[in-house]
Amino acid sequence: LSVHISIAPPVWKSPWFIILVIAGIIYAFYLIVKIRESNHRRFQAQLQKALNEKTREVIIQKEEIEKKNKDITDSIRYAKRIQDAILPDLEKLKRIIPLSFVFFQPRDIVSGDFYWFEQYGNKLIIVCADATGHGVPGAFMSMIGSTLLKDITSRPDILSPAETLDVLDREIKNLLRQNDDEIDHTHDTVDIIICEIDLDTFYMRMCSTRRSMFISINNELITFKKEKENFDSQAYENRGIQLHKGDTLYMFTDGYPDQFGGEKSKKIKISNMKLMLEQIQTLPMNQQAMVVDRYFNRWKEGHEQVDDVLFIGLKL
């Protein structure tokens, strides 16, 4: 007699159980991936919503800034129209001294540098000035300076450039209340050259704060500046020189020699300006004006303009 006994394997060893476990693991992994994807999509949606809100805020702020910038720019451009109206007409200077030029290049839309001239009888008074600051503050100072000069030079008791500069200095201090010790202020000044030229005899008197000028006499370029370099003294002095027909005067503000550029990113400096003028002093004035313009803009190529620029040339 024989008995066949078959013992069934444990449940965990059953093929169906193994398949079920593997399927469960795969499904669990699938659920985890789906949950993570769902959370990621939800997080992305939240980020996108926050980004859209920030973007709307930035767009609104950008539009407000652009509007304010446009308003400010329009105001500055209108200020330039006012400044241009105050500056004397260069065609008038051409009628007085035909061989002349003015190279005027503001750093911003409006300028702290300004020129001014007027003829009284046979005397021509011409001014090359650099007011404190540039842009809008400098433009205000330049308009104040131009207006004061027109008033001061028309007074019958003002007989020399030194007297003009002395009165101008006092008028600016009074106008800006710089004599009031209780008011916190900066010392707003005007770095200026005032020349008086007798159109009959070509005798010239000059008075300046610090700025020197160049004069070409018989094709020799000389530096002409105030007699005494005593910066502690508040007294202004005239300096005169007898010129002749064909001599050339060059006046400029510090924006020209102080401009950075060139191959080594250095300033132009007075020495390079003088060298340039020595090379071009015999050329016609219109060509000299082109060289002065081209030399400056080629030098500063690739660099920002550091200050307003004014350069005046007059051939008697």
Side-chain angles (χ1 to χ4, degrees):
L1 178 66
S2 64
V3 180
H4 179 74
I5 300 173
S6 177
I7 301 173
V11 175
W12 59 86
K13 290 185 178 180
S14 300
W16 63 267
F17 183 82
I18 294 172
I19 293 171
L20 186 62
V21 169
I22 292 173
I25 292 173
I26 293 173
Y27 184 68
F29 182 76
Y30 172 78
L31 285 178
I32 291 171
V33 171
K34 285 297 182 180
I35 291 171
R36 291 190 63 183
E37 286 181 353
S38 176
N39 291 337
H40 182 68
R41 284 195 296 269
R42 191 180 303 112
F43 181 67
Q44 272 191 326
Q46 292 174 351
L47 284 180
Q48 188 64 42
K49 182 179 179 181
L51 180 61
N52 291 338
E53 292 176 355
K54 291 295 182 182
T55 302
R56 282 195 295 271
E57 292 178 6
V58 170
I59 291 173
I60 293 171
Q61 292 175 354
K62 177 176 176 290
E63 291 174 350
E64 291 177 353
I65 292 172
E66 287 178 346
K67 183 178 182 302
K68 290 179 180 179
N69 185 59
K70 183 179 182 301
D71 292 341
I72 292 171
T73 303
D74 289 344
S75 297
I76 294 175
R77 292 190 184 280
Y78 189 72
K80 177 176 173 56
R81 290 176 58 189
I82 296 173
Q83 186 179 39
D84 290 344
I86 292 176
L87 291 173
D89 185 6
L90 291 177
E91 290 300 319
K92 181 179 177 181
L93 180 62
K94 288 281 188 180
R95 290 193 293 270
I96 301 171
I97 301 183
L99 301 178
S100 61
F101 70 85
V102 174
F103 172 53
F104 183 49
Q105 185 166 303
R107 195 195 79 164
D108 302 310
I109 297 174
V110 289
S111 172
D113 290 4
F114 68 97
Y115 56 89
W116 184 86
F117 58 85
E118 190 58 74
Q119 183 178 358
Y120 297 99
N122 65 333
K123 300 288 180 66
L124 171 66
I125 298 174
I126 186 163
V127 172
C128 177
D130 179 3
T132 299
H134 42 73
V136 174
F140 275 114
M141 285 296 297
S142 72
M143 288 187 279
I144 289 171
S146 297
T147 304
L148 289 176
L149 281 167
K150 185 175 183 179
D151 173 63
I152 293 168
T153 56
S154 64
R155 299 177 188 176
D157 57 326
I158 302 299
L159 302 176
S160 71
E163 291 178 2
T164 301
L165 189 50
D166 183 60
V167 175
L168 177 66
D169 185 46
R170 285 189 277 112
E171 293 280 355
I172 289 177
K173 287 180 178 178
N174 290 334
L175 187 63
L176 300 179
R177 296 192 293 174
Q178 290 185 348
N179 295 321
D180 191 345
D181 294 333
E182 296 181 359
I183 296 200
D184 182 23
H185 58 77
T186 57
H187 288 280
D188 301 301
T189 58
V190 178
D191 187 12
I192 190 169
I193 299 175
I194 302 178
C195 287
E196 178 195 78
I197 304 171
D198 190 310
L199 299 175
D200 295 332
T201 65
F202 300 118
Y203 185 77
M204 184 196 76
R205 290 192 296 175
M206 180 270 278
C207 183
S208 71
T209 50
R210 296 188 302 270
R211 185 70 41 206
S212 59
M213 61 186 295
F214 293 127
I215 303 178
S216 175
I217 302 176
N218 294 325
N219 297 330
E220 180 182 354
L221 198 68
I222 65 170
T223 303
F224 195 73
K225 55 187 177 182
K226 59 188 298 186
E227 195 72 40
K228 296 180 181 179
E229 291 293 333
N230 183 5
F231 297 111
D232 296 327
S233 174
Q234 295 299 316
Y236 297 112
E237 297 181 353
N238 294 307
R239 187 175 182 194
I241 184 172
Q242 180 61 58
L243 301 176
H244 303 86
K245 188 174 181 59
D247 293 340
T248 309
L249 311 177
Y250 301 102
M251 293 175 278
F252 52 90
T253 57
D254 58 1
Y256 202 105
D258 288 349
Q259 177 60 46
F260 285 94
E263 295 179 357
K264 299 181 179 179
S265 297
K266 293 185 176 181
K267 292 182 179 181
I268 293 179
K269 294 184 178 180
I270 297 291
S271 57
N272 287 328
M273 285 183 61
K274 188 172 184 180
L275 181 62
M276 173 195 67
L277 291 174
E278 286 175 343
Q279 295 173 347
I280 68 171
Q281 60 184 328
T282 57
L283 296 176
M285 292 302 286
N286 61 337
Q287 294 184 25
Q288 291 191 36
M290 293 173 58
V291 173
V292 168
D293 184 337
R294 186 166 60 245
Y295 184 88
F296 178 81
N297 284 294
R298 284 185 176 177
W299 183 275
K300 83 173 182 71
E301 189 172 1
H303 297 74
E304 290 186 1
Q305 187 170 325
V306 298
D307 201 357
D308 302 316
V309 174
L310 175 61
F311 196 112
I312 301 174
L314 305 169
K315 187 168 186 178
L316 302 179

